[in-house]
């Protein structure tokens, strides 16, 4: 018996064609033809241009880095610094001249932001001061912050968030944790809270109509970052022979992040973000269940079989939940 038609045909594009195929309203022989009819060619053209531009900019920046690495011994200090500064100036000038072209503005400004970090790294190699590595990232984030604030573009913001996060991590590893000011778990949770604050700011801004923040990929990137940070520390604490208070804190932080983000993204009808939260939860439950199973059962006497059954049960329930959520979200679009 064919599946019921989704309520109100809320699905659109290829998803609607797939739903109609499952209901029997489209013959299998006409499936590819229907996909071609509903395909958004303009969207894929924009996506292709932006992807190729991002690849080109990335390869150019990587080429600049490798150029300095390969020719380091033969370049005088003035050339090492001058070439990068010229690149920053040209990218900034190009971004200003192309400010009415969003793609050119974003790409050139991102290149300038990345080259600032390359300049600081080269400067540090020429003038060895013995400074801690975190000063590179902190200085980089501080220098590019005015550009990022003025950019009104997503990619420079993503670069800044990555650099600021790297600065926070290296500062914690080199200063805060060795001095006993904070634990590893506490530092990771603070960084996750920072990214959660950025996520809340992004959601609030979109509610107030900030158009350049409308794309969904920054939300999903932040959700992935928060889940990855909290998940790694939670699993690390869970796999210790004796779970410490810091380990319990990490597990509590991850549980709050996964549940909170999952519920929020269900409300926002963002299925990919929900999938990330649910699947990370499945992995965590599997690790926790495996620890319990191997503490009670001998691995050679039913332990591995019990773990296999646990994995099947957890992921089976997750897939059933996600399927129901997909139908519910399609009915509420």
């Amino acid at each position: 018996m064919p599946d019921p038609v989704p309520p109100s045909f809320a699905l659109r594009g290829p998803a609607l064609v797939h739903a109609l195929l499952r209901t029997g309203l489209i013959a299998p022989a006409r499936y590819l033809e229907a996909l071609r009819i509903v395909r958004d060619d303009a969207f894929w053209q924009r996506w292709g241009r932006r992807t190729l531009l991002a690849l080109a900019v990335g390869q150019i920046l990587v080429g600049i880095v490798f150029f300095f690495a390969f020719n380091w011994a033969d370049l005088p200090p003035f050339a090492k610094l001058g070439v990068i500064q010229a690149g920053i100036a040209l990218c900034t000038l190009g971004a200003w001249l192309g400010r009415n072209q969003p793609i050119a503005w974003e790409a050139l400004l991102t290149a300038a932001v990345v080259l600032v970090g390359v300049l600081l790294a080269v400067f540090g190699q020429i003038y060895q001061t013995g400074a801690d590595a975190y000063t590179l990232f902190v200085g980089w984030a501080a220098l590019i912050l005015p550009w990022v604030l003025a950019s009104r573009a997503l990619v420079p913001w993503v670069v800044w968030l990555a650099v600021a996060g790297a600065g926070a991590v290296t500062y914690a590893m080199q200063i805060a944790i060795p001095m006993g000011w904070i634990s590893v778990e506490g530092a990771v949770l603070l960084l996750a809270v920072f990214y959660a604050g950025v996520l809340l700011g992004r959601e609030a801004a979109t509610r107030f109509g900030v158009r350049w923040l409308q794309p969904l990929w920054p939300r999903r990137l932040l959700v992935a970052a928060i889940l990855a940070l909290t998940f790694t520390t939670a699993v690390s604490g869970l796999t210790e022979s004796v779970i410490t208070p810091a380990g319990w804190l990490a597990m509590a932080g991850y549980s709050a992040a996964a549940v909170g983000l999952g519920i929020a993204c269900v409300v926002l009808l963002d299925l990919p973000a929900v999938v990330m939260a649910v699947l990370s939860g499945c992995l965590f439950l599997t690790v926790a269940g495996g620890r319990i199973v191997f503490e009670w059962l001998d691995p050679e006497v039913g332990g591995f079989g019990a773990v296999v059954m646990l994995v099947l049960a957890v992921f089976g329930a997750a897939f059933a939940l996600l399927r129901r959520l997909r139908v519910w979200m399609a009915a509420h679009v």
Side-chain angles (χ1 to χ4, degrees), residues 49-67:
R49 286 196 299 268
R50 293 180 179 181
T51 302
L52 290 174
L53 179 61
L55 289 173
V57 172
Q59 289 176 359
I60 291 171
L61 293 174
V62 171
I64 292 172
V65 173
F66 277 93
F67 169 80

Side-chain angles (χ1 to χ4, degrees), residues 46-297:
R46 292 193 303 272
W47 182 87
R49 286 196 299 268
R50 293 180 179 181
T51 302
L52 290 174
L53 179 61
L55 289 173
V57 172
Q59 289 176 359
I60 291 171
L61 293 174
V62 171
I64 292 172
V65 173
F66 277 93
F67 169 80
F68 281 100
F70 185 79
N71 299 285
W72 183 261
D74 299 326
L75 289 173
F78 176 79
K80 294 174 182 176
L81 297 175
V83 171
I84 302 176
Q85 292 177 32
I88 295 172
L90 289 174
C91 288
T92 305
L93 178 61
W96 176 255
L97 294 176
R99 61 189 181 277
N100 294 324
Q101 300 292 329
I103 297 178
W105 164 263
E106 190 167 10
L108 290 171
L109 200 58
T110 302
V113 163
V114 173
L115 287 176
V116 170
V118 177
L119 176 64
L120 293 177
V122 171
F123 185 88
Q125 288 296 319
I126 295 173
Y127 304 103
Q128 298 283 344
T129 62
D132 292 321
Y134 78 88
T135 58
L136 167 65
F137 296 104
V138 172
W140 186 2
L143 286 173
I144 66 176
L145 182 58
W147 294 1
V148 172
L149 290 173
S151 69
R152 298 174 62 85
L154 287 171
V155 179
W157 268 107
V158 171
V159 173
W160 185 85
L161 289 172
V163 172
V169 169
T170 51
Y171 176 79
M173 293 176 61
Q174 295 179 335
I175 302 296
I177 294 173
M179 294 292 291
W181 298 342
I182 195 171
S183 63
V184 174
E185 294 80 4
V188 172
L189 286 179
L190 282 179
L191 183 57
V193 169
F194 169 69
Y195 285 146
V198 174
L199 178 59
L200 288 174
R202 183 260 172 199
E203 298 301 325
T206 55
R207 296 291 178 136
F208 283 101
V210 180
R211 295 187 60 185
W212 61 275
L213 286 172
Q214 292 292 336
L216 295 178
W217 66 266
R219 174 200 291 164
R220 294 164 184 170
L221 187 62
L222 286 167
V223 168
I226 295 168
L227 290 174
L229 286 169
T230 54
F231 178 81
T232 51
T233 54
V235 170
S236 177
L238 183 62
T239 53
E240 294 288 341
S241 57
V242 177
I243 301 177
T244 63
W248 287 111
L249 174 65
M251 287 187 281
Y254 166 73
S255 301
V259 173
L261 290 173
I263 294 174
C265 293
V266 168
V267 174
L268 294 169
L269 304 179
D270 190 347
L271 184 60
V274 175
V275 170
M276 287 189 284
V278 171
L279 293 185
S280 71
C282 290
L283 292 174
F284 180 75
L285 290 176
T286 301
V287 174
R291 175 183 176 121
I292 295 172
V293 166
F294 286 125
E295 284 183 353
W296 286 87
L297 295 177

